[in-house]
Amino acid sequence: MDQRLSFVTLAVPDLAAARAFYVDGLGWHADVEVGDVIMIRVADRVVLSLWEQASFESEVGAVRTGPGLVPVTLAHNVASRSEVDLVLQDARVAGASEVGQGASREWGGYTGYFADPAGIRWEVAFNPGPIGASVLP
């Protein structure tokens, strides 16, 4: 198996709310909108797939329910600390639940978090190290 990731699929309880947030709010372009799924190209070879939860469960299996967070975050890296704050502000305007303001981290970076309408946590990060620079456009 090649060392790569092609799709990140999120099972969302309300596809219309997910669309309103990602497409209408954040201004991302949907490459595919068919029935119960929206696909958004987020990198040259990576697609974010928003899949209505009931359809996801019928194919993949039941999602975990109950209190707490889904044990995953998605990350959006930027080139500066000020960009972290700008992206967090854009996400708030788009309707994100604010989870954490931008803050300096002990490893030398600066990050903040927000949640999309399904509660999926996004990290917005400035990572001054080589791996951080390698993921920027």
Side-chain angles (χ1 to χ4, degrees), residues 64 66-73 99 115 119 121:
R64 184 181 65 159
L69 301 175
V70 176
V72 65
T73 60
V99 176
R121 278 10 185 209

Side-chain angles (χ1 to χ4, degrees), residues 11-122:
V12 298
D14 185 341
L15 189 61
R19 186 190 192 291
F21 179 75
Y22 286 100
V23 177
D24 301 332
L26 294 181
W28 291 11
H29 171 75
D31 291 277
V32 174
E33 291 190 64
V34 178
D36 58 1
V37 69
I38 297 169
M39 295 181 190
I40 302 167
R41 185 174 308 280
V42 293
D44 287 340
R45 297 179 183 196
V46 181
V47 173
L48 175 66
S49 178
L50 306 170
W51 195 358
E52 194 276 322
Q53 185 173 321
S55 297
F56 175 94
E57 288 181 316
S58 71
E59 184 171 320
V60 181
V63 298
R64 184 181 65 159
T65 60
L69 301 175
V70 176
V72 65
T73 60
L74 303 175
H76 178 79
N77 280 42
V78 294
S80 70
R81 293 171 181 261
S82 62
E83 285 181 79
V84 169
D85 295 328
L86 289 172
V87 171
L88 291 172
Q89 177 59 31
D90 288 346
R92 278 192 291 278
V93 169
S97 301
E98 185 176 327
V99 176
Q101 293 284 84
S104 295
R105 306 299 177 184
E106 63 186 43
W107 48 270
Y110 183 80
T111 69
Y113 292 86
F114 67 84
D116 77 0
I120 305 295
R121 278 10 185 209
W122 278 82

